[in-house]
Amino acid sequence: MSKPILIVEDSEQKYRDIERVITDSWDKQVDLTRASTITDAEQAIATRFWAGIVLDVSMDITSSSAGPRQGGHATTGGLSIARKMFLTGRTAPTVIVTAFSSFQGRMVERGRFVMIGLEEVQARAMEALQSNYLGCVRYNDVGWDDDLIATLKPVVEQ
Amino acid sequence: MLRLNAYLGCHTALAVSAPEGWSLLRDPATSGLFAEAASVIEAATSEALAHDSTGREWINSVQWRLRIPEEAIRVREWLAIVRQRIRVTPNYLSGINWSWVDEIIRLYLLVPFVGEPDGVYTLLLRAIEDRDSESVELRAAFEPLVVGKDFPAVISFLIEEFGPEAIAFVRFFLTAENILLLKLAPNLTAAMSNRISGIEECLRRFRFGTLMSEDQYRNEARSLTAALLLVNVHMGQFEVPWGMFKSQVSEREGDTYDAFVAFRSLGSDSQSVGRNRVVTPHQYGNGRVVRYSFEARYWPQIFLAISIVEAFLEHPSFGLEAILSTRFRHDTLRREFVAAGAGVRDAFIVGAGPEVKERITEQLGAPVYRRVQGWANDLLRTKTGPSDAVLFDLVPTQEDVEKLLEVTSMSVDFEQFIDGIVDWMKKRLEEQVADARLRFSEELLPELRQIVARERAILMEDSSFRNQDVTKVAAAFESSIARAGQSLADWFLTQGFSNPSPLRFGDIEVAASGVFESHSIAGELDIRLLQGGLSEKLVPPERVKVCFDLLLEAFQNAHKHRHVKKGSIRLSNWIDGEMSGVLFSSSIVYSPKVYEREVVGEPFESIPDALFREGNSGLQKMASMAATVAGCSVAMKVFRRCRSFHVAVPLWRGM
């Protein structure tokens, strides 16, 4: 029976690349579903079982026909999804795939927002997902596709 | 607690009931150590706090009441006390034991809070204390309370449930982003518009006060105007609402400035210790470290100046880091090019079938889009180290800080102090944005043309496509990318908010109709906008919001009075004597009642006038808004027919 995997990804190109990498390796072993906004992702996570989740960090909030970014954008929206999973008791093994190394975070020091780096993103994802955090893959780095497969392997081949 | 005890020399009701005061005594007391003494202290403290004689002991009184349910983990009781006894007071701490709340969440997840008004109120208090407008805890707990409600119903619920503190929910929690996440608006403009309408509804009920002053409301209205001005792709993405920034800094750093002034008045200049040179490395939010060397007496002033620069660098909405990441790097710039490329794929090109167009544009586009993203990633960043070859750097050097010291030393008040720093940042930002525009136009765009030419040559050699198809599609693609590039060059502009340009009425129409996006998609309301003619009329920035509100009112009425399922509203040019404007024609439920009448409107004279004017509803409200846009009294004509409703709204003198 194929494993249901949710790919939370707003970028069309990146989604296609992730989809290709996963299906090239496992094809019939996985059943891929895409959520291209935070609201879609939260809905999907709240209503279905997922054997694994591939999670982007910077995400569109909702879909809108009002042009680019009119649906709103959250630069660390993926982490909010992870946090909400923890708060609502929804768990699934999750791998983060991001194209960026720094993000405008909400962490405040003396009431200020700071940019957060990939390490901070990983730390927060680990805090939210705990043992379900599989790792972080830097999209488009050399060998990112191999990293993704290696990280997802325990989920698909379990 | 320990400090208070050391200071007072004994336990007092004030010390014991201070936040976490009792918890220090609790463990020894429960293990039997000085149990008798503890019970005496407890009784004395309860007695002392029974009556708040000064009106300033509430925080101790609350802590004292909270200790029992806290120890017994009676969460609902604890939440009820919090809501009953602690009022929303921005800039003050409640003393709530948030570590205990974290522990509850760790143990029970969000269960005690979800869908519970007491729970969401407590999480709101925390979000305000933490200055966390993106609290996932609060949003997740709030969600069940708004399921199935539209935004006005949510506001009504908040007003009914939380009274005057409803405005705190709107101000601190219902940001445009959270409104979108809660699915209470279809797009960002609608979300911003909803936010401000929520604030206005609360203000109409509870008036201005500590939770929302007139100045704060004015800033909110400016944010919406700023967002509306940005709907045009030709608007510069580096435009910063400096006025809003200054007032925010003034509010946040005012106390620091007062402390600095007090320190200055001590005359530390004359003391030798003040003349000691101190070298301090300062780390900025992006990781950049700069070592500054100044005499000790200047440091309070330097810290304040640097904190203002940092406030701009890190501002979540329009700070430099936010602009570069959200408006450029995070796929935004690339998507504009992708949209331009998609236009070619969908265009009619003689001889080239849909599949051919799609495959050719895909092959041409992939390297182009990659390069755009690469360019943005590489250059549209702030400098983090000396060898970083990026386009932006607003971190002041030693020499810059010396200049800032000089400028701010002459300031007579905090406003002038902020002006000095902001002027320096604006000048520097303008230079860097101009350079970025040059690099975009003279380096990136030619490079994209070369990439298209190279890919076209590869496609020509490949026998997968007919050469004539490749030639036609590549030409269209190159033109489309070039056109997009020319428009997008205007993103690299800074002027605007200090002297914002007027907005076309047509652009405001598009933004207002976007608020009804979900109604349009559901087929509930068909909006036909003004074509040509008066849609080119310019609306000055200070009247953009009222014009937007006028359109919303018209669309809202059309939706409210539509046929059972489907409604429509059509806008057309309307001219009557010296005045020109818009005729709104909407379909309505059949009624034999037919009439014509005139509604006279006078311009709003102030913000309170616009919010609280008597009889300010329906058509009268529209007439007043039209008069404000026109800048003079207007007479709106209303025609009711059996199945249609027409309102002729004068908006401009002359054609």
Side-chain angles (χ1 to χ4, degrees):
Chain A
M1 197 172 139
S2 55
K3 299 272 174 71
I5 306 281
L6 178 67
I7 302 177
V8 181
E9 178 56 65
D10 55 356
S11 160
E12 194 62 41
Q13 183 63 48
K14 196 172 146 204
Y15 170 73
R16 278 195 221 165
D17 287 345
I18 292 170
E19 183 190 37
R20 176 182 49 76
V21 168
I22 295 175
T23 48
D24 281 357
S25 291
W26 291 303
D27 195 15
K28 305 278 185 219
Q29 285 172 268
V30 292
D31 172 16
L32 301 183
T33 301
R34 179 186 181 186
S36 55
T37 64
I38 297 176
T39 50
D40 286 351
E42 289 184 348
Q43 174 84 12
I45 291 166
T47 51
R48 267 191 69 181
F49 161 78
W50 301 101
I53 296 175
V54 177
L55 185 62
D56 186 15
V57 178
S58 277
M59 285 288 300
D60 284 350
I61 295 174
T62 189
S63 54
S64 164
S65 58
R69 293 293 154 96
Q70 264 288 303
H73 191 78
T75 49
T76 54
L79 293 178
S80 303
I81 293 171
R83 177 74 182 153
K84 196 172 174 194
M85 285 168 70
F86 164 74
L87 291 168
T88 52
R90 291 271 164 185
T91 57
T94 301
V95 55
I96 286 190
V97 181
T98 178
F100 307 107
S101 56
S102 73
F103 305 83
Q104 178 199 312
R106 73 149 197 86
M107 280 298 283
V108 274
E109 185 183 67
R110 286 185 298 138
R112 295 219 171 78
F113 286 72
V114 292
M115 297 301 288
I116 61 171
L118 212 47
E119 285 151 15
E120 174 84 22
V121 165
Q122 292 184 69
R124 289 202 211 166
M126 205 178 293
E127 187 190 346
L129 299 163
Q130 298 176 3
S131 61
N132 279 303
Y133 176 64
L134 298 176
C136 180
V137 173
R138 180 81 197 277
Y139 172 69
N140 265 348
D141 272 4
V142 177
W144 76 273
D145 41 359
D146 293 336
D147 283 351
L148 177 60
I149 293 305
T151 314
L152 271 179
K153 199 169 186 172
V155 171
V156 181
E157 297 182 4
Q158 194 177 33
Chain B
M1 165 77 175
L2 293 174
R3 271 201 300 270
L4 276 170
N5 269 3
Y7 178 70
L8 297 165
C10 62
H11 292 310
T12 67
L14 193 73
V16 173
S17 61
E20 298 195 51
W22 180 247
S23 62
L24 277 176
L25 292 177
R26 182 186 56 202
D27 290 343
T30 49
S31 62
L33 286 174
F34 62 89
E36 198 178 326
S39 63
V40 171
I41 292 168
E42 191 171 350
T45 304
S46 291
E47 171 65 21
L49 292 171
H51 308 288
D52 185 350
S53 55
T54 63
R56 296 165 65 187
E57 292 157 9
W58 69 268
I59 198 163
N60 293 64
S61 181
V62 172
Q63 296 303 324
W64 193 242
R65 280 168 186 256
L66 288 173
R67 82 193 190 288
I68 293 170
E70 200 166 300
E71 282 172 19
I73 316 186
R74 296 202 296 265
V75 183
R76 285 184 203 286
E77 183 187 337
W78 186 91
L79 291 171
I81 295 173
V82 166
R83 182 173 165 200
Q84 189 193 355
R85 306 280 297 186
I86 301 182
R87 304 278 55 86
V88 176
T89 319
N91 301 326
Y92 286 89
L93 299 176
S94 62
I96 288 175
N97 182 358
W98 295 119
S99 307
W100 182 81
V101 174
D102 285 338
E103 192 60 14
I104 293 298
I105 291 175
R106 197 183 63 78
L107 288 172
Y108 305 112
L109 304 179
L110 215 51
V111 174
F113 301 87
V114 173
E116 295 291 336
D118 294 350
V120 298
Y121 182 82
T122 304
L123 293 173
L124 174 75
L125 289 175
R126 182 173 202 176
I128 294 171
E129 278 192 29
D130 289 353
R131 299 190 187 203
D132 178 11
S133 59
E134 297 169 15
S135 165
V136 182
E137 286 83 349
L138 176 53
R139 178 164 63 85
F142 193 75
E143 245 165 13
L145 296 172
V146 300
V147 168
K149 293 188 177 82
D150 62 7
F151 193 78
V154 170
I155 296 300
S156 300
F157 161 75
L158 288 173
I159 288 173
E160 196 175 315
E161 182 68 39
F162 298 102
E165 279 164 328
I167 200 160
F169 276 90
V170 188
R171 181 179 161 197
F172 297 105
F173 168 58
L174 289 179
T175 60
E177 286 73 19
N178 279 334
I179 289 171
L180 287 172
L181 285 162
L182 291 163
K183 301 180 190 170
L184 293 170
N187 56 57
L188 206 52
T189 307
M192 295 189 75
S193 166
N194 279 352
R195 172 176 165 79
I196 201 144
S197 71
I199 289 172
E200 287 169 353
E201 186 58 31
C202 291
L203 288 175
R204 274 191 279 274
R205 289 289 292 270
F206 306 111
R207 304 288 158 142
F208 293 114
T210 52
L211 293 178
M212 175 68 69
S213 67
E214 192 173 327
D215 268 356
Q216 284 159 342
Y217 169 74
R218 191 177 287 118
N219 277 338
E220 292 286 345
R222 278 190 199 138
S223 297
L224 176 61
T225 303
L228 293 173
L229 293 172
L230 281 168
V231 296
N232 188 340
V233 72
H234 297 285
M235 291 296 291
Q237 298 292 318
F238 287 92
E239 291 183 353
V240 176
W242 290 110
M244 194 190 304
F245 172 73
K246 286 179 192 177
S247 73
Q248 287 178 1
V249 167
S250 175
E251 191 180 326
R252 203 171 60 192
E253 303 287 355
D255 290 346
T256 316
Y257 178 77
D258 292 343
F260 154 65
V261 170
F263 177 83
R264 188 169 58 181
S265 68
L266 292 175
S268 58
D269 295 21
S270 55
Q271 296 165 5
S272 60
V273 68
R275 294 188 178 277
N276 286 346
R277 207 157 184 88
V278 178
V279 180
T280 302
H282 184 84
Q283 183 165 25
Y284 288 84
N286 66 356
R288 174 98 173 271
V289 178
V290 182
R291 292 175 72 81
Y292 296 116
S293 168
F294 287 96
E295 290 179 13
R297 59 190 168 134
Y298 292 126
W299 275 105
Q301 192 175 347
I302 292 166
F303 279 132
L304 188 56
I306 286 175
S307 72
I308 296 171
V309 174
E310 285 182 309
F312 172 61
L313 290 174
E314 296 154 15
H315 193 285
S317 306
F318 46 74
L320 185 56
E321 296 290 0
I323 289 173
L324 294 175
S325 61
T326 325
R327 300 187 194 171
F328 289 93
R329 290 201 310 268
H330 284 187
D331 216 16
T332 317
L333 187 64
R334 193 192 74 96
R335 280 192 202 191
E336 293 289 340
F337 282 99
V338 171
V344 174
R345 187 194 60 206
D346 301 334
F348 177 72
I349 298 174
V350 179
E355 196 197 339
V356 168
K357 275 187 300 179
E358 182 162 354
R359 285 171 55 204
I360 294 175
T361 50
E362 204 169 285
Q363 192 152 339
L364 293 169
V368 166
Y369 309 145
R370 258 200 310 275
R371 180 61 198 125
V372 169
Q373 188 60 49
W375 185 84
N377 285 348
D378 293 344
L379 296 178
L380 300 183
R381 292 181 172 281
T382 56
K383 194 169 182 169
T384 54
S387 57
D388 215 359
V390 295
L391 292 174
F392 293 91
D393 182 15
L394 275 191
V395 166
T397 60
Q398 170 78 22
E399 294 72 35
D400 293 327
V401 175
E402 283 167 11
K403 279 181 207 154
L404 291 176
L405 264 181
E406 202 177 309
V407 171
T408 53
S409 293
M410 291 185 283
S411 59
V412 295
D413 55 25
F414 194 32
E415 202 175 313
Q416 274 193 11
F417 190 103
I418 299 170
D419 280 345
I421 310 289
V422 165
D423 288 347
W424 176 83
M425 290 195 291
K426 275 164 83 171
K427 185 170 178 292
R428 196 149 169 178
L429 185 63
E430 274 165 17
E431 290 165 2
Q432 292 171 8
V433 171
D435 184 39
R437 182 184 167 92
L438 201 68
R439 300 275 297 264
F440 178 81
S441 300
E442 299 194 357
E443 289 178 14
L444 179 65
L445 296 183
E447 200 185 329
L448 297 182
R449 276 199 298 279
Q450 286 170 11
I451 292 171
V452 174
R454 189 188 66 213
E455 292 298 316
R456 183 180 57 194
I458 294 169
L459 284 166
M460 294 285 240
E461 281 175 18
D462 186 351
S463 55
S464 305
F465 304 102
R466 295 185 306 173
N467 281 358
Q468 63 207 60
D469 290 344
V470 173
T471 305
K472 282 179 189 169
V473 176
F477 184 83
E478 189 188 325
S479 306
S480 183
I481 293 295
R483 268 197 302 276
Q486 279 169 8
S487 294
L488 291 167
D490 286 349
W491 280 17
F492 298 92
L493 288 173
T494 53
Q495 72 272 26
F497 274 92
S498 49
N499 184 21
S501 325
L503 198 58
R504 283 174 63 249
F505 181 76
D507 289 331
I508 305 174
E509 272 185 312
V510 171
S513 66
V515 173
F516 292 82
E517 183 186 338
S518 46
H519 297 305
S520 298
I521 290 169
E524 292 173 3
L525 187 65
D526 178 21
I527 300 174
R528 293 181 211 168
L529 301 177
L530 209 59
Q531 298 295 319
L534 296 174
S535 68
E536 295 299 323
K537 278 274 189 189
L538 295 175
V539 178
E542 67 277 11
R543 294 179 191 169
V544 163
K545 182 180 174 293
V546 73
C547 187
F548 178 76
D549 289 344
L550 168 69
L551 288 162
L552 288 190
E553 188 72 24
F555 297 159
Q556 186 63 50
N557 286 338
H559 182 254
K560 191 172 160 187
H561 300 292
R562 71 191 190 280
H563 293 301
V564 178
K565 284 183 183 166
K566 197 174 172 186
S568 70
I569 183 164
R570 189 182 69 243
L571 282 69
S572 42
N573 297 311
W574 177 80
I575 296 160
D576 183 13
E578 283 188 353
M579 298 298 289
S580 58
V582 178
L583 178 68
F584 294 92
S585 304
S586 50
S587 56
I588 52 170
V589 179
Y590 173 81
S591 162
K593 195 170 137 193
V594 171
Y595 62 78
E596 290 184 18
R597 67 184 173 104
E598 210 170 72
V599 182
V600 176
E602 297 294 334
F604 293 124
E605 287 169 7
S606 62
I607 284 177
D609 184 28
L611 283 172
F612 311 132
R613 184 182 281 189
E614 287 295 319
N616 204 0
S617 61
L619 291 170
Q620 185 58 60
K621 193 170 163 186
M622 276 181 76
S624 303
M625 290 193 278
T628 310
V629 174
C632 59
S633 305
V634 299
M636 211 169 71
K637 288 182 177 155
V638 180
F639 312 88
R640 197 195 196 287
R641 302 288 180 254
C642 294
R643 293 182 188 279
S644 61
F645 194 78
H646 308 269
V647 187
V649 183
L651 291 171
W652 301 284
R653 287 175 197 274
M655 302 250 316

